Amino acid sequence: MVGNKPPMTLPAFVQRDVSLADLNTFGLPARAALLAAIETPAQLAALIDWPEWRSWPRFVLGGGSNLILSGDFPGLMLQVRIPGRELIGESADAWLVRAGAGENWHDLVRWTLAHGWPGLENLALIPGTVGATPIQNIGAYGLEIAERVQGVEAVDLTSGAMITFDRAACRFGYRDSVFKHEAAGRYLVTTVTFRLPKRWQPLTGYDDVAQELEARQIAHPTAHDIADVVIAIRSRKLPDPAQIGNAGSFFKNPRVDATAFARLTAHHPDLPHYPQLDGTVKLAAGWLIERCGWKGRNLGPVGVYEQQALVLVNRGGARGVDVLRLAQAIQVSVQTVFGVTLEPEPVVL
Ligand code: EPU
């Protein structure tokens, strides 16, 4: 015991000095001073009543698939493991499915498809948990989860109150939501309710999806077909975190204004680009990084994935500083060669 301070009384489900190595998909070594696995809102209420609650820095952990641990965390990590998935209602045009924040995302996608409720298939195989999906507004192959979210239930960690955010209140943007801004760190998402369309249309506009469907000679895909195609594309292009540590796309696709785009495209006519409604142009960060010569290269124990330059991978024994060093070197290259600033996509803690 240090000085006269009494030993801290911890709720039984809180562990001390916990390794986070298996709790982040990049496989980075780090420890949390305290970790609480939250399976029920009642456990969270007990923690908020704990006299020392306010004196600890907190971090809410989902599947750890969008997280770079730069070092040990000297606070209380709240690992969300709230289970549950159910059809809570249906209308003439939609099924409403609610899932606990701790559910595995891909398992939920498969479960909805098995029940004949389409709408999440373009987002198959994205690593992570349900609770994280609205926070970064996960997106892939022509769909963002924003389009399917009916509402998000969360606990306000400052008061213990339960709050419901409807879709508008989530303020979704590209890999962005209110939970990354004024609500950052304040709420713990407990459930997400999805609205799955009865008048379903396949989303096949994304190049990779269209090509794969053509290769399979599928003219009228079902939701299962789309899921299969997306799984095949992802398995080819993106490393499986269970095999090679990674956090998905390491940078957001940058947006530039029309003037900057005109200057860039004059020098690089083959630059992939996606015009946005607001007049800006989104660029493919993976292409910029590849053009700078980084694809397949390593810096210490961290590398740039051979099949997709937007993904950084752990070649074995990487630490947070190694990841940040490579990320910074890439940012400097892209800035120097193209004058474009790359912003990291995962949360850096
Ligand atoms: N490209 C290259 N070289 C590369 C990678 C990509 O030239 O090494 C080019 C491709 O040829 C293509 C363009 O860049 O013209 C876009 O590539 P891709 O379709 O692979 O998608 P992305 O923009 O690199 C985004 C998301 C992914 C998502 C895919 C598919 C972001 C930050 N990333 O990647 O999301 O799976 O589209 O929709 O928006 C994630 O967020 O973790 C993630 C994996």
Side-chain angles (χ1 to χ4, degrees), residues 28-51:
L28 299 171
R31 303 189 79 80
L34 299 174
L35 182 137
I38 308 290
E39 283 166 24
T40 63
Q43 283 177 315
L44 196 53
L47 265 184
I48 295 172
D49 282 346
W50 175 44

Side-chain angles (χ1 to χ4, degrees), residues 17 148 194 198 243 348:
D17 189 24
R148 299 286 186 249
F194 302 96
K198 287 192 173 172
Q243 313 286 330
V348 178

Side-chain angles (χ1 to χ4, degrees), residues 66 126 136 138-142 174-175 206-208 234 237-238 247-253 272 274 282-288 290 295 305-311 345:
N66 198 46
I126 293 184
Q136 53 151 333
I138 60 166
Y141 308 106
Y174 168 58
R175 294 294 188 279
Y206 203 89
D207 279 354
D208 281 353
R234 289 192 78 94
K237 286 201 168 178
L238 297 166
S249 296
F250 200 90
F251 299 101
K252 292 187 191 180
N253 282 330
Y274 315 94
K282 200 190 263 187
L283 306 177
W287 187 93
L288 300 172
E290 181 173 351
K295 199 171 189 170
Y305 193 53
E306 293 76 7
Q307 312 303 328
Q308 178 25 309
L310 197 44
V311 179
E345 205 268 308

Side-chain angles (χ1 to χ4, degrees), residues 214-280:
E214 205 180 310
R216 295 179 179 213
Q217 301 187 325
I218 300 174
H220 302 288
T222 64
H224 285 275
D225 291 332
I226 303 266
D228 289 348
V229 157
V230 165
I231 289 168
I233 300 167
R234 289 192 78 94
S235 308
R236 257 196 325 260
K237 286 201 168 178
L238 297 166
D240 175 358
Q243 313 286 330
I244 307 173
N246 77 90
S249 296
F250 200 90
F251 299 101
K252 292 187 191 180
N253 282 330
R255 273 191 295 196
V256 296
D257 63 26
T259 316
F261 175 67
R263 176 180 55 78
L264 281 164
T265 201
H267 289 95
H268 311 281
D270 53 341
L271 177 77
H273 59 281
Y274 315 94
Q276 305 294 295
L277 291 172
D278 63 2
T280 62

Side-chain angles (χ1 to χ4, degrees), residues 74-99:
L76 169 60
M77 188 113 341
L78 302 168
Q79 185 192 19
V80 183
R81 298 198 5 205
I82 300 167
R85 47 196 191 191
E86 59 176 325
L87 181 72
I88 58 162
E90 68 181 283
S91 62
D93 53 8
W95 289 281
L96 292 182
V97 168
R98 185 166 60 202

